[in-house]
Amino acid sequence: MITIFIFVLVTNASAQSSSIKALVESYASQHQFNGTVLIQKDSRVIYHKSFGVAERAFNSPITNDTKYQVCSFTKTFTAVLILQLVEQGKIDLQKKIIDYLPDYKGEGGSKVSIHQLLNHTSGMKNTDTAKDENFLKYGIGFYHKPYQLKEIVANFCSNPIINEPGTKFDYNNGEYMILGRILEVIYKMNYEAILDRQILSTLGMRNSGLISHYKLIAGLATPYYKDKSLDHLIPNIPLYVEDFSAAGAMYSCTKDMMQFNNALFTFKLIKKETLQQLLTPGLDGYGYSVWIRGNQEFRRMERYGRIAGANGVWFHYLNDGLSIIILSNTNLTDLGDYANKIGNSILSKKP
């Protein structure tokens, strides 16, 4: 009887593995996917494969070790760094910007709390005003000139308040740049060093870090972009990705991101009750740096990253031990739809 039961389990697992492989690869082919897919279920990697080209000028293939710009995944690292200081009693979520940045000149200094920065409800005028349709013609704001984070906060993240703080969700990179600057002031070191000391080195994430125009990152995929005015992909227009700083300047690979995922959800970085704060949805279903979506049975954390051609999606199903990380160096594929279809396929086959 035991032998038969084990045989059935192995057969079912093999059938599901074949089904997932077929889905992922069919979707990749039909939707011009260029990147890496990593799927983990119950602490076991059940799929990890790469598709396409990392550097089109040399036709170099993407591999499972390829590094990508992960863009706004950076925000979750920043949120964790802030929450670590909350646990240490060095930050109070209800205190205001001015309590940690005494030289902050913006109107929100005495009105906007750390909590409101974390969940994008500061009410401040958005730091980024460029639209996708104007990307190629006008660029994207101040990112075409290098700045230190202190300069960015002073010059571009000190905008007037246009909505009462706490009343409206408005996705704003500037809020996480302010959080990054708060970390720098408290730690008395730059954001890159804080990130490395508190998370990357601790977890052994050796293929992750901050992008800089002034350093060569081996194995980093070049992002390629296409809009409606083009019939082909082009490299992203020149910009200083490091200006996104604590809001979006990281690079990583799928393996490293899964290490971070696993450490976060096994409470190695922050406590269980602190993680619950991060995952508590506010306006627009957004917690601290992540969206919480799905029904109660298939409730999931969602995090997206995108800067023109650089794209990523990270899903973690909170009740099912399922994590999906997809990284891409083009904007040709709807990665949210891709991850959603993968998740639905796996969880619809739950016993």
Side-chain angles (χ1 to χ4, degrees), residues 21 108 123 127 131 148 172 199 206 217 239 247 254 282 302 342:
K21 181 177 184 292
T127 298
K131 304 297 183 184
Q148 297 296 312
N172 185 346
I199 299 179
R206 297 181 182 87
I217 300 166
L239 53 84
T254 48
E302 298 182 5
I342 292 169

Side-chain angles (χ1 to χ4, degrees), residues 7 47 55 59 61 71 92 95 103 107 164-165 188 198 209 230 258 307 325 337:
F7 175 77
Y47 187 89
E55 172 52 71
N59 202 33
C71 312
D92 182 331
K95 285 196 172 180
D103 59 350
E107 182 186 356
E164 182 66 24
K188 296 182 172 58
Q198 294 298 116
L230 297 169
M258 195 61 80
I307 301 173
I325 294 170
D337 181 64

Side-chain angles (χ1 to χ4, degrees), residues 292-307:
I292 308 301
R293 290 180 174 147
N295 57 34
Q296 194 56 38
E297 183 181 6
F298 296 142
R299 189 166 170 261
R300 65 182 178 268
M301 181 211 81
E302 298 182 5
R303 177 65 259 181
Y304 301 87
R306 181 170 67 92
I307 301 173

Side-chain angles (χ1 to χ4, degrees), residues 75-332:
K75 290 183 175 68
T76 303
F77 288 81
T78 299
V80 168
L81 290 169
I82 291 289
L83 290 171
Q84 287 177 341
L85 292 180
V86 171
E87 290 183 345
Q88 296 169 30
K90 295 179 180 178
I91 285 181
D92 182 331
L93 291 171
Q94 300 311 316
K95 285 196 172 180
K96 312 303 183 189
I97 296 170
I98 202 77
D99 293 313
Y100 302 102
L101 297 181
D103 59 350
Y104 184 81
K105 303 300 183 185
E107 182 186 356
S110 60
K111 299 178 181 180
V112 174
S113 70
I114 306 305
H115 166 77
Q116 290 160 347
L117 294 174
L118 284 163
N119 68 9
H120 292 307
T121 62
S122 71
M124 289 189 287
K125 183 179 178 182
N126 206 298
T127 298
D128 298 329
T129 56
K131 304 297 183 184
D132 277 359
E133 57 267 25
N134 296 324
F135 173 66
L136 294 182
K137 188 173 182 180
Y138 299 112
I140 48 174
F142 64 85
Y143 300 102
H144 303 285
K145 181 179 178 181
Y147 295 96
Q148 297 296 312
L149 183 54
K150 182 177 182 179
E151 297 175 300
I152 292 171
V153 170
N155 297 328
F156 308 110
C157 306
S158 300
N159 293 330
I161 290 177
I162 58 175
N163 296 297
E164 182 66 24
T167 64
K168 183 178 179 180
F169 175 86
D170 183 21
Y171 190 86
N172 185 346
N173 280 318
E175 292 158 330
Y176 274 74
M177 293 167 179
I178 294 169
L179 291 168
R181 182 59 189 153
I182 288 171
L183 289 167
E184 290 188 336
V185 168
I186 292 176
Y187 276 105
K188 296 182 172 58
M189 60 177 72
N190 65 39
Y191 178 81
E192 183 173 24
I194 299 164
L195 175 68
D196 183 67
R197 191 182 82 172
Q198 294 298 116
I199 299 179
L200 304 185
S201 291
T202 298
L203 298 182
M205 294 175 63
R206 297 181 182 87
N207 293 309
S208 303
L210 283 195
I211 293 173
S212 169
H213 186 75
Y214 302 103
K215 62 184 178 185
L216 178 66
I217 300 166
L220 180 66
T222 299
Y224 296 91
Y225 178 78
K226 181 182 181 301
D227 74 2
K228 293 176 182 178
S229 69
L230 297 169
D231 61 1
H232 61 281
L233 287 163
I234 61 168
N236 276 4
I237 65 172
L239 53 84
Y240 288 86
V241 176
E242 58 263 46
D243 284 354
F244 285 93
S245 188
M250 279 187 67
Y251 69 87
S252 191
C253 64
T254 48
K255 291 177 186 175
D256 271 15
M257 279 305 308
M258 195 61 80
Q259 278 182 268
F260 179 65
N261 174 89
N262 295 344
L264 183 62
F265 288 101
T266 54
F267 321 119
K268 290 182 172 64
L269 292 169
I270 52 177
K271 298 174 185 176
K272 183 176 182 179
E273 55 270 29
T274 310
L275 177 61
Q276 192 55 49
Q277 286 182 286
L278 185 145
L279 297 172
T280 299
L283 298 178
D284 198 53
Y286 196 83
Y288 292 165
S289 81
V290 296
W291 283 269
I292 308 301
R293 290 180 174 147
N295 57 34
Q296 194 56 38
E297 183 181 6
F298 296 142
R299 189 166 170 261
R300 65 182 178 268
M301 181 211 81
E302 298 182 5
R303 177 65 259 181
Y304 301 87
R306 181 170 67 92
I307 301 173
N311 278 277
V313 65
W314 167 23
F315 279 14
H316 177 76
Y317 287 80
L318 299 168
N319 303 320
D320 296 281
L322 174 64
S323 302
I324 302 166
I325 294 170
I326 306 176
L327 300 177
S328 176
N329 65 332
T330 82
N331 65 323
L332 297 177

